[in-house]
Amino acid sequence: HMRVYDLTHTISEDILVWPGTEQPRLSEGSAFERDGFRETRLELFSHVGTHMDAPAHMLAGAPWLDELPASAFCGEAWVLDARGCAPGGEIPAGAVEPAAGADFLLVCTGWDRFWNTPEYFGAYPVLSPAAVKRAVELGVRGIGLDTMGIDPMDAADFPRHHLMFERGLVIVENLRGLSQLAGRRFFFAALPLKYKNADGAPVRAVGIEN
């Protein structure tokens, strides 16, 4: 029996977005009463809700999501249980060692409990730069987090993003529900919307266990 965990926040007009980003707009395109069918017009920035960052997000000449193979978006994941890390704390490199052999390192801080509240923008725990480097050395092709970003909100030059992007790797941000999978390995997929020159895109992220 296959169990599928939805690790994705719902996009709505009042969703939390990075400061300065416009809120999504979901408006009526076609009306059932008038047209006999429904369609919704979606207007949203590419890094809204649970989403993936392409290396091209911050790096010239790096790949867009639509250039990456679909295999870059799925594989075996291991969830690091970082719920004991203090707010604003850094997760040390040693903590990522069990990710060896996994395609994705997912970091469970439990911060998703603050989703759609001002606290979500606070001092969430982050991987230390050394931990990001170590995860990459261990062979992960992506890192996913249940926070606003792989770097702190006030990071000046986004060093952790660059450690990933310089190697052509992807980042998934604003995951939810990792607490139920902490410490476990399973098949993970975060499939981004495939549009031209995608610097980032919303994903439907799932964990699948047999």
Side-chain angles (χ1 to χ4, degrees), residues 83-148:
R83 288 174 291 182
C85 189
E90 286 200 348
I91 301 157
V96 309
E97 289 296 329
D103 299 299
F104 285 85
L105 166 64
L106 306 181
V107 183
C108 172
T109 65
W111 209 256
D112 54 331
R113 70 188 182 277
F114 298 128
W115 180 247
N116 271 348
T117 71
E119 286 86 352
Y120 195 74
F121 288 138
Y124 47 79
V126 292
L127 292 166
S128 68
V132 175
K133 278 186 190 149
R134 184 62 187 142
V136 171
E137 284 170 11
L138 291 169
V140 307
R141 295 186 283 112
I143 294 179
L145 315 114
D146 58 2
T147 59
M148 203 72 188

Side-chain angles (χ1 to χ4, degrees), residues 54-65 67-68 165-169 198:
H57 179 39
M58 294 181 179
L59 199 59
W64 311 99
L65 293 179
E67 292 178 327
L68 292 173
F165 296 156
E166 282 159 12
R167 293 161 177 83
L169 306 177

Side-chain angles (χ1 to χ4, degrees), residues 4 8 14 53 73 77 79 109 164 208:
V4 180
T8 314
D14 58 356
D53 288 3
F73 312 136
V79 179
T109 65
M164 298 292 286
I208 302 173

Side-chain angles (χ1 to χ4, degrees), residues 33-46:
E33 297 73 18
R34 184 183 67 232
D35 305 302
F37 57 89
R38 291 188 181 91
E39 283 187 293
T40 304
R41 179 186 174 94
L42 305 175
E43 298 175 77
L44 68 168
F45 274 56
S46 51

